[in-house]
């Protein structure tokens, strides 16, 4: 039966318990945006693979948990979860997905990003531009993560980020948008990191390389 009350699950109640509880609540009619895991909206919990590592499972169990989170995220979106719902700061589901791109070429990051974009997540509704987050903009002033564009980067990592940028651009992201502190836009981030491939990639997609 549908309910207008908010259901709060505790984050330390166990991954499987949280997963099954959210699934059961949604299937019984609870609106996804009225379900939280501690202070996190259910959609944010499902978007965050870090929870799959909670309590130290082995790699095989982590992979199974990530798969289960992906399925749950799809269920939440199908049942009306707001794909632009904010917790605070940058934290919309899309911002969370963009921030996960720094971590490596695996983990189903692109698939997760595609899922929230297909549901209507707007790259222009994050506090900082989604493109900047995808390219490594952190929460701290001046913080940039350059892992995908370093010489020792994992094979395929930069290419995955490039693909994500194309997905965001196709969804309406502004390639010239500045972060909320007016310090960086994508081309300035590329210049800061000294990544010639990234500079070329952005230029090819219309970025103003004469930006001052």
């Amino acid at each position: 039966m549908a309910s207008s009350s908010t259901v709060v699950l505790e984050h330390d109640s166990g991954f499987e318990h949280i997963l099954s509880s959210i699934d059961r609540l949604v299937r019984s009619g609870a609106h996804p945006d009225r379900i939280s895991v501690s202070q996190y909206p259910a959609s944010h919990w499902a978007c965050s693979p870090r929870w799959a590592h909670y309590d130290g499972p082995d790699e095989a169990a982590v992979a199974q948990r990530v798969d289960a989170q992906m399925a749950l995220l799809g269920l939440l979106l199908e049942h009306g979860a707001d794909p632009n719902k904010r917790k605070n700061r940058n934290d919309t589901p899309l911002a969370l997905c963009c921030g996960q791109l720094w971590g490596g070429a695996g983990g189903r990051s692109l698939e997760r990003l595609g899922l929230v974009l297909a549901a209507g997540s707007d790259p222009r509704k994050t506090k900082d531009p989604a493109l900047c987050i995808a390219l490594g903009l952190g929460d701290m002033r001046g913080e940039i993560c350059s892992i995908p564009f370093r010489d020792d980067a994992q094979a395929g990592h930069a290419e995955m980020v490039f693909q994500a940028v194309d997905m965001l651009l196709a969804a309406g992201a502004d390639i010239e948008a500045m972060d909320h502190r007016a310090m960086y836009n994508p081309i300035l981030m590329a210049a800061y990191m000294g990544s010639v491939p990234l500079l070329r990639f952005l230029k090819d997609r219309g970025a103003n390389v004469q930006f001052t």
Side-chain angles (χ1 to χ4, degrees):
M1 179 180 297
S3 172
S4 61
S5 61
T6 299
V7 179
V8 180
L9 304 169
E10 294 302 322
H11 76 275
D12 58 357
S13 59
F15 181 93
E16 282 72 21
H17 171 75
I18 293 170
L19 184 82
S20 61
S21 295
I22 296 174
D23 184 279
R24 174 178 51 79
L25 286 164
V26 172
R27 293 183 188 280
S28 65
H31 193 281
D33 290 342
R34 294 191 174 275
I35 306 170
S36 297
V37 180
S38 294
Q39 73 270 35
Y40 302 95
S43 58
H44 291 213
W45 185 88
C47 272
S48 303
R50 68 186 180 90
W51 293 110
H53 297 267
Y54 188 79
D55 70 18
D58 60 28
E59 290 186 8
V62 168
Q64 291 176 346
R65 286 179 170 186
V66 169
D67 289 345
Q69 278 185 298
M70 287 289 298
L72 180 64
L73 178 59
L75 179 71
L76 292 167
L77 294 169
E78 288 169 9
H79 283 75
D82 181 359
N84 296 300
K85 185 176 180 62
R86 275 190 171 185
K87 172 182 175 285
N88 53 35
R89 294 178 66 82
N90 280 318
D91 290 344
T92 66
L94 181 60
L96 292 171
C97 292
C98 289
Q100 293 156 17
L101 296 166
W102 318 341
R108 303 185 70 179
S109 298
L110 280 179
E111 186 178 350
R112 193 176 296 109
L113 178 66
L115 195 60
V116 297
L117 286 173
S121 201
D122 190 336
R124 296 157 295 193
K125 290 187 176 180
T126 51
K127 183 175 181 179
D128 281 315
L131 285 179
C132 290
I133 302 170
L135 292 175
L137 185 71
D139 287 335
M140 302 296 290
R141 183 179 179 86
E143 178 187 12
I144 292 179
C145 174
S146 61
I147 290 175
F149 307 106
R150 297 192 316 213
D151 291 341
D152 61 350
Q154 179 185 2
H157 195 174
E159 288 73 18
M160 182 189 75
V161 175
F162 291 158
Q163 188 174 345
V165 168
D166 280 338
M167 292 165 67
L168 292 166
L169 290 171
D174 180 0
I175 202 167
E176 305 291 354
M178 297 289 293
D179 75 293
H180 78 278
R181 295 186 177 95
M183 293 179 66
Y184 294 108
N185 68 0
I187 204 74
L188 290 175
M189 291 179 65
Y192 175 87
M193 289 186 276
S195 173
V196 174
L198 178 55
L199 284 164
R200 288 174 176 162
F201 175 86
L202 294 171
K203 180 177 181 292
D204 289 345
R205 280 149 182 79
N208 178 13
V209 296
Q210 303 301 323
F211 187 93
T212 58

